[in-house]
Amino acid sequence: MNVYDFDNTIYKGESPFQFFFYYIKKTPYLVKYIPKVIHALMKYKAGKVTVEQALSEYAPFVEDYLKSIPDLAADAKDFWDKHEKNIKPFYKAQQKPDDVIVTASPEITMREICGRLGIKHCVGSQIDKKTGKITRLCMRSRKVPAFLAEFPDAHIDEFYTDSPKNDAPLIELADRAFKVKGNKITRIK
């Protein structure tokens, strides 16, 4: 089985960040949060925020906003209509039927793109649709238990990521690991 991170790995960009800008168009008052979102993204990419810090600092705002979205699945369809073109060509060329995506992105927004790509398995962050609560934040070291909960006996042949630092726990589980930067793929294990 091959396992892939999603954002900046097989997808060009950070889809949660792009979803934020998608919602700014629908809810212009969100523009005031742009500096905070950019700061949070930079801290995350640099590995300077723990999962616990992310939950305590950002989850309440995200959860409150998620409760106000009437149909997140419909919005995901509309979003992916415009952003599906950002799937990197290397992925489609090597895709296998048993591929698994393990991502910090919410599963509810990932279902649409995974369905379009024919990816049957996605392990991501989980959100309670009624309360907006983040019930599983699937990032960094939390990716491994989330993955193993869904695939307890799985063997990872290859793992692909844009961030070896953030995805080190999954790299440890894989026979071979690759860093993806743009369209360049480099074996790191």
Side-chain angles (χ1 to χ4, degrees):
M1 148 186 311
N2 292 338
V3 177
Y4 296 83
D5 177 45
F6 184 75
D7 296 301
N8 283 315
T9 300
I10 69 168
Y11 179 76
K12 182 182 174 185
E14 291 282 344
S15 62
F17 188 66
Q18 293 170 347
F19 260 103
F20 174 72
F21 282 97
Y22 169 84
Y23 280 112
I24 282 178
K25 291 177 185 173
K26 295 178 101 157
T27 319
Y29 81 85
L30 290 175
V31 76
K32 69 182 181 180
Y33 295 103
I34 289 174
K36 186 172 186 170
V37 169
I38 291 171
H39 180 70
L41 180 64
M42 289 175 20
K43 281 174 52 178
Y44 170 72
K45 292 306 280 181
K48 294 182 178 179
V49 63
T50 66
V51 175
E52 290 72 23
Q53 288 169 326
L55 280 171
S56 68
E57 191 170 337
Y58 304 108
F61 163 75
V62 172
E63 291 168 350
D64 282 344
Y65 187 73
L66 288 170
K67 283 190 291 192
S68 74
I69 298 171
D71 192 345
L72 189 54
D75 287 346
K77 181 182 181 327
D78 184 49
F79 174 86
W80 290 116
D81 286 346
K82 297 171 181 78
H83 292 84
E84 182 177 359
K85 65 183 183 224
N86 292 335
I87 298 297
K88 296 179 182 181
F90 90 86
Y91 177 69
K92 291 180 181 181
Q94 69 184 42
Q95 183 176 4
K96 294 183 179 176
D98 64 344
D99 286 350
V100 178
I101 301 294
V102 180
T103 179
S105 294
E107 287 180 0
I108 192 166
T109 60
M110 292 296 297
R111 282 187 198 115
E112 179 68 28
I113 191 63
C114 287
R116 291 179 186 203
L117 295 173
I119 299 169
K120 296 176 188 147
H121 308 290
C122 179
V123 178
S125 295
Q126 294 179 339
I127 299 165
D128 182 301
K129 288 186 234 178
K130 292 178 184 168
T131 64
K133 293 279 182 204
I134 298 168
T135 57
R136 176 173 76 195
L137 186 57
C138 186
M139 63 185 274
R140 295 203 182 121
S141 63
R142 289 184 177 204
K143 284 184 174 182
V144 169
F147 173 76
L148 292 175
E150 307 248 351
F151 302 97
D153 300 320
H155 176 82
I156 301 174
D157 297 309
E158 296 182 352
F159 176 66
Y160 293 79
T161 181
D162 67 309
S163 180
K165 181 179 180 181
N166 288 337
D167 284 329
L170 274 171
I171 290 170
E172 288 299 314
L173 293 180
D175 290 341
R176 292 171 300 285
F178 300 85
K179 180 179 179 182
V180 180
K181 185 170 183 171
N183 291 315
K184 183 180 177 186
I185 301 170
T186 306
R187 185 169 178 178
I188 56 174
K189 177 183 176 187

